[in-house]
Amino acid sequence: MVKVFRPSSRLAAALAAAATLALAAPVATAAPAADPDRSFRITDPRITESSGLAASRAHPGIYWTHNDQDKPLIYGVDSRTGETVATITMRGVGEPRDMEAISVGADGDVYVGDIGDNLNGGWDHVWIYRFPEPERLADTTVDATQFTVKYADGPRDAEALMVHPTTGRVYIASKNEDGGGLYEGPAKLTTGGTNTFTRVAEVPWVTDGAFSPDGKELVLRSYFSARGYAWQNGRPGADHRVRAPIQGQAESVTYTLDGSALMFGTEGTRSEVNRVDIEKDGGSSSGGGSAADGSTGDDTGADGGNVTIGAVALVGAAALFLLFRRKKGSA
């Protein structure tokens, strides 16, 4: 029997807030394609479910991403053109189950979170993969290390993995409509046993997150909004609203390498990555364009009315997406 889905008060409030933001969304102007770290569109037809995003430390202007459930492949995308300039095959990790997040640590390693759980707690463990960021941008195979992860309070679904840029500690944020948890990993991951992640804070519904390059801020995003948290003594502190673009299925976020902006990604064929500049007060504002090819977020050109209508349509699409997932999970 299919259960009737009735939105919770939190979800209803989120939809209302998202609609308000959509109506007030500014029209972005396109930036030159040669300018790195601007808004861009992923052109690689293999990338249809970009679920994580991380700025390369070794190659400025390059962003690592991956599909949701796929072979052990990581793609390096040039933000100047939106083209894939490197395809990394991870060797030694088996077949990924549900890769949802990616982050680059201060050690120069790339961390991939195979942490998704569409059964909402059906897996008794998940995995983190780690490999050194390649020195050259080319198609290559790398030996990756696989870590087994469990949560101290039991299995759960998660889509956000963040590596702190100074301590190197790994954090995971779980995903739940009524609020998730922020989990802290051990000081050093080990391959000799299970790495237990402990809940250290309560967080809202989270689809991805990222630490600022200086480690002083943590940004967490959801389908409809994003918030920044002052990072103090290994814990999130005072929070504030972060401006995020309205996207069809808001999946990923990362800081630019210089920390001047946030890059917000979404799923889908030829999906967009939108740059949002960091304001002096710690907030953010729209910056750059919505795509390197000069199109706006919904391919409507510079017509503000069409952009607003497109944004509202995306909110409705997101609501239907949530409805579909709830019904599917209840069948």
Side-chain angles (χ1 to χ4, degrees), residues 97-116:
R97 194 158 53 195
D98 192 353
M99 297 192 300
E100 290 287 356
I102 189 168
S103 181
V104 180
D107 54 7
D109 285 353
V110 178
Y111 294 72
V112 183
D114 191 356
I115 56 177

Side-chain angles (χ1 to χ4, degrees), residues 59-120:
H59 309 285
I62 302 300
Y63 288 84
W64 300 110
T65 189
H66 53 82
N67 280 324
D68 191 336
Q69 299 177 36
D70 201 357
K71 298 177 181 179
L73 300 176
I74 305 299
Y75 305 95
V77 180
D78 191 335
S79 62
R80 300 167 185 81
T81 63
E83 297 179 355
T84 298
V85 293
T87 300
I88 310 299
T89 301
M90 295 184 291
R91 180 170 51 200
V93 302
E95 184 176 350
R97 194 158 53 195
D98 192 353
M99 297 192 300
E100 290 287 356
I102 189 168
S103 181
V104 180
D107 54 7
D109 285 353
V110 178
Y111 294 72
V112 183
D114 191 356
I115 56 177
D117 187 346
N118 289 330
L119 300 177
N120 197 28

Side-chain angles (χ1 to χ4, degrees), residues 190-301:
T190 177
T191 58
T194 299
N195 296 272
T196 301
F197 278 60
T198 304
R199 195 177 188 119
V200 296
E202 304 303 309
V203 295
W205 180 309
V206 175
T207 59
D208 201 11
F211 282 109
S212 60
D214 61 9
K216 296 180 179 180
E217 178 109 339
L218 171 66
V219 166
L220 299 175
R221 82 167 302 182
S222 68
Y223 288 128
F224 309 115
S225 63
R227 298 202 71 80
Y229 299 82
W231 193 253
Q232 302 169 335
N233 301 316
R235 300 290 184 269
D239 66 309
H240 60 87
R241 184 179 69 87
V242 172
R243 185 67 181 242
I246 298 297
Q247 295 175 311
Q249 187 173 341
E251 282 291 321
S252 58
V253 65
T254 188
Y255 276 85
T256 56
L257 188 59
D258 63 5
S260 65
L262 288 161
M263 306 292 281
F264 291 90
T266 185
E267 285 192 359
T269 303
R270 289 183 55 82
S271 59
E272 290 186 343
V273 176
N274 297 115
R275 174 188 171 111
V276 177
D277 291 325
I278 303 295
E279 297 177 342
K280 292 181 180 180
D281 62 359
S284 56
S285 61
S286 297
S290 59
D293 62 3
S295 64
T296 57
D298 54 357
D299 292 331
T300 55

